[in-house]
Amino acid sequence: MANLVYKRVSTDQQSTARQDLVLAEAGIEDPIVFEEDPGTSSRLHPLQRPKFRELLTYARPGDTVHISEMFRLVRGNQHILDVLEVLHRDQLALRIHDGAFSAMDLTARHPRTGELQSTVKFMVQTLAAAGELQRDLQRELTYDGLRAAEAKGAKGGRRPAVAAAQTADVRTAYLEGRSIAALARDHGVSRGAIRTAVADLLPDHTDSEEGPPVPELPVTLDMPGKVADYLRTTELEPAERAALDQGVTVRRGQGYTLRVSAVPAVHRQLLARCQPLDGGQGLPAVPAQRKARREYENRVSALAP
């Protein structure tokens, strides 16, 4: 029987040092390690993460999955229940070596029905809700801190590659005939940063004599939380990311919806981004996520073209 070790960190600035220590102290014999690429978000459903899917493909009945702590593998109540269902189906054991779940046999089933023991399910739901509450509180405190910093004049986001004090010099040098490539070398920045600084001086830049077109009016739609969780882990266009980041969370029982205000075109783009939740392209379809996507699809489809 094989010992399959799963490791993951949330950002590429983090390391697996703590996980390595916990797993080393556990004395796992002949571990076979599956480690996600750095920065694999916990919001991405475990069954859709490349290395965990590889682990499940490799595993055979009777093998044991080892993790340092539960939230290296799952995020939230539904993730846990989905993973436990798959492990039970594939006859795999789960061993957690640190944290609140380490003292529990999460694979315990009723001897006659074969369903997850009610006490185990209750504890899983309770501890998962507590962990989710802790993360939400941290996110709220971070948001409040950013707002406080903005009130004092600090600005968030990526700093411009060309410092404000140097912008005038860059523009003057460009007008005097200095090339974009040469300016980029002089200031140690990318050519794109120089183009941004001199955008209105470029030959193909023209000011429209006509007024700007009337923009589409934003529409507010409720996006199911499972759709929002998936989209936060997906590469988005700036307008799509801004709409998602500015959404308002509305709690609904143990889940939530994200109230997103955006023009209809952005809603349609976001809907297209979450197409993988329906399954296909080698990804397993998670019923709860597929249902959530179709709820959002129904709301977007109701918008006027």
Side-chain angles (χ1 to χ4, degrees), residues 42-43 70-71 74-80 101 123-140 224-226 228-229 232 249-257:
S42 61
R43 295 190 182 97
M70 192 59 156
F71 292 108
V74 299
R75 175 190 175 94
N77 176 45
Q78 193 58 51
H79 282 195
I80 297 176
F101 290 94
M123 290 301 297
V124 164
Q125 291 171 332
T126 301
L127 292 172
E132 189 170 357
L133 174 62
Q134 180 184 20
R135 288 191 298 272
D136 288 344
L137 289 173
Q138 289 173 339
R139 186 165 55 247
E140 290 171 4
K226 295 186 186 304
D229 287 344
R232 287 191 177 105
T249 299
V250 180
R251 288 289 166 193
R252 300 189 183 281
Q254 293 185 349
Y256 76 99
T257 60

Side-chain angles (χ1 to χ4, degrees), residues 218-244:
V219 178
T220 301
L221 293 181
D222 281 353
M223 177 186 293
K226 295 186 186 304
V227 173
D229 287 344
Y230 174 80
L231 289 173
R232 287 191 177 105
T233 68
T234 303
E235 185 176 350
L236 302 176
E237 295 295 330
E240 300 165 3
R241 178 65 62 187
L244 204 64

